């Protein structure tokens, strides 16, 4: 299974996390790194290998991923805590572990290779599978339930906001009309309808891509979790700690960019001659804007083609 998982921008991510690790060493903090999207453990394994003094807290909502990562990280068992949870529970996780401050947090957002490659998970529109799409299969809400129970207006909103689908109204109407006689149960069934009703474009992407993205985001509350988890993780950093975020679509990248911009910008009026400390930025960009994968990595690892990597360092405590 590890052979399937090629971590995106691995060396660069480890390098950026190293900035926070070194800051911890310099300031007498124990180096603690939170991998908030543990997945199959590829990034975490590299971090633990590169920094023998790091203690890693791995968090994931996917129990299958946790099982795989636990085996992968077994050589580092004395330096790891692996927790089944969602990113927005990071404050509670740290409290339970008796951790006050962390040196770095990594969020590798979106759907994982494991979830896409397992047919029965229903994330892929290219293979027949139940319409599941749960990252955490202990939760109850599935994509099939969304399609079966949500009002047409709510389906239209989800498709428009989360999938950026221009034909959201038409798709929502067909979903609601057709479910009266035939329930929506499989990815193949939904993808076939979308291929039939959506106009073909010159783009290489499948017409079902936007709808499947929207359903996945709704089922897992991905954007809501990110809006809560990232500010909480930033507050948990000690001075010099870093946040490293990999995004793969514009909605999540926009949230990351907005949160980072709020921390790296002054909140003082532009005409204020002297900016008091409490209005000064409390984060500093390590990367100006976003970094992309180079063409060699994008060719080797298709998932890297859409990545946007952003990173900031905490330079002072935020004013509450």
């Amino acid at each position: 299974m590890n052979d399937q998982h090629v971590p995106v921008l691995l060396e660069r991510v480890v390098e950026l996390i190293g900035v926070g690790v070194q800051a911890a060493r310099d300031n007498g903090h124990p180096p603690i790194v939170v991998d908030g999207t543990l997945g199959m453990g590829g990034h975490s394994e590299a971090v633990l290998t590169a920094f023998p003094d790091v203690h890693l807290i791995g968090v994931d909502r996917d129990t299958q991923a946790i099982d795989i990562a636990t085996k992968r990280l077994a050589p580092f068992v004395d330096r790891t805590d692996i927790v089944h949870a969602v990113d927005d529970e990071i404050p509670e996780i740290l409290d339970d572990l008796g951790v006050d401050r962390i040196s770095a947090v990594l969020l590798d957002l979106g759907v994982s290779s494991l979830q896409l490659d397992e047919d029965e998970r229903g994330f892929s529109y290219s293979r027949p599978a139940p319409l599941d799409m749960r990252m955490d299969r202990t939760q109850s809400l599935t994509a099939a339930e969304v399609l079966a129970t949500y009002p047409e207006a709510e389906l239209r909103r989800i498709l428009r906001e989360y999938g950026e689908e221009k034909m959201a109204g038409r798709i929502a109407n067909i979903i609601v009309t057709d479910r009266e006689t035939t329930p929506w149960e499989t990815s193949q069934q939904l993808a076939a309808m979308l291929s039939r009703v959506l106009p073909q474009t010159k783009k290489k992407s499948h017409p079902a891509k936007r709808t499947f993205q929207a359903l996945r985001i709704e089922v897992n509350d991905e954007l809501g979790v990110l809006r809560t988890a990232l500010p909480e993780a930033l507050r948990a950093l000690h001075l010099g700690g870093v946040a490293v975020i990999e995004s793969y679509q514009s909605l999540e990248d926009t949230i990351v960019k907005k949160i980072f911009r709020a921390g790296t910008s002054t909140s003082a009026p532009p005409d204020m001659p002297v900016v008091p400390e409490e209005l000064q930025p409390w984060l500093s960009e390590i990367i100006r804007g976003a970094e992309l994968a180079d063409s060699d990595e994008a060719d080797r690892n298709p998932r890297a083609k859409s990545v946007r990597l952003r990173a900031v360092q905490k330079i002072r405590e935020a004013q509450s």
Side-chain angles (χ1 to χ4, degrees):
M1 185 67 71
N2 289 352
D3 293 338
Q4 288 181 285
H5 178 47
V6 183
V8 174
L9 294 174
L10 180 61
E11 293 181 3
R12 181 59 168 144
V13 165
V14 173
E15 177 187 8
L16 292 166
I17 287 174
V19 174
V21 171
Q22 188 58 53
R25 294 169 178 160
D26 293 343
N27 294 294
H29 299 294
I32 299 174
V33 174
V34 172
D35 185 346
T37 44
L38 180 63
M40 289 186 281
H43 283 113
S44 287
E45 180 183 45
V47 168
L48 288 162
T49 301
F51 308 115
D53 55 342
V54 157
H55 188 93
L56 184 129
I57 301 169
V59 180
D60 208 289
R61 65 171 84 186
D62 188 330
T63 54
Q64 185 179 6
I66 282 180
D67 289 342
I68 294 168
T70 299
K71 293 175 183 176
R72 183 173 193 161
L73 301 180
F76 310 98
V77 66
D78 59 330
R79 294 198 283 129
T80 59
D81 287 291
I82 297 177
V83 184
H84 175 227
V86 185
D87 295 340
D88 58 5
E89 299 175 273
I90 285 175
E92 292 80 9
I93 294 166
L94 297 181
D95 187 57
D96 290 344
L97 295 173
V99 173
D100 181 43
R101 295 290 184 175
I102 61 175
S103 309
V105 60
L106 167 65
L107 298 178
D108 185 13
L109 302 172
V111 65
S112 72
S113 302
L114 170 66
Q115 291 156 350
L116 282 173
D117 292 342
E118 296 288 329
D119 287 355
E120 69 271 16
R121 305 296 293 272
F123 286 96
S124 174
Y125 43 77
S126 60
R127 298 184 298 274
L131 278 168
D132 190 322
M133 299 193 193
R134 292 173 297 169
M135 292 178 175
D136 180 356
R137 287 193 281 186
T138 66
Q139 76 174 47
S140 58
L141 184 65
T142 66
E145 184 174 348
V146 170
L147 296 179
T149 63
Y150 277 32
E152 182 176 336
E154 185 67 359
L155 288 170
R156 183 169 60 249
R157 182 193 66 80
I158 290 167
L159 294 171
R160 184 181 296 121
E161 291 185 11
Y162 298 163
E164 300 176 289
E165 174 57 71
K166 295 179 181 178
M167 303 291 289
R170 184 180 183 190
I171 295 169
N173 179 261
I174 292 172
I175 289 170
V176 171
T177 300
D178 287 7
R179 76 188 184 190
E180 294 180 4
T181 55
T182 306
W184 296 99
E185 296 178 337
T186 70
S187 57
Q188 187 178 39
Q189 179 189 9
L190 181 60
M193 180 272 283
L194 294 165
S195 295
R196 184 176 69 253
V197 305
L198 293 180
Q200 296 297 316
T201 66
K202 295 181 180 179
K203 294 183 178 180
K204 294 181 180 179
S205 60
H206 193 284
K209 180 178 180 179
R210 295 180 296 276
T211 294
F212 273 65
Q213 173 181 294
L215 289 172
R216 191 199 80 217
I217 289 173
E218 171 64 16
V219 167
N220 299 288
D221 189 24
E222 293 177 45
L223 302 184
V225 167
L226 177 58
R227 289 189 185 98
T228 301
L230 183 51
E232 294 286 3
L234 291 169
R235 281 190 281 271
L237 294 172
H238 57 60
L239 294 184
V242 301
V244 182
I245 316 296
E246 293 182 290
S247 305
Y248 298 88
Q249 43 96 345
S250 61
L251 297 173
E252 59 195 13
D253 186 52
T254 297
I255 293 171
V256 175
K257 183 165 54 175
K258 183 178 180 180
I259 292 171
F260 280 2
R261 184 182 293 132
T264 56
S265 304
T266 179
S267 54
D271 57 349
M272 183 175 284
V274 178
V275 179
E277 183 178 350
E278 64 269 18
L279 300 182
Q280 292 176 7
W282 60 285
L283 300 174
S284 175
E285 284 186 321
I286 303 176
I287 295 172
R288 299 288 278 181
E291 284 187 8
L292 311 180
D294 62 30
S295 57
D296 288 342
E297 177 163 1
D299 289 340
R300 293 193 310 270
N301 184 3
R303 191 163 183 256
K305 292 179 180 178
S306 58
V307 72
R308 298 292 183 272
L309 176 68
R310 298 182 186 273
V312 293
Q313 184 172 31
K314 189 171 185 176
I315 54 176
R316 70 176 185 86
E317 294 297 336
Q319 298 296 313
S320 55

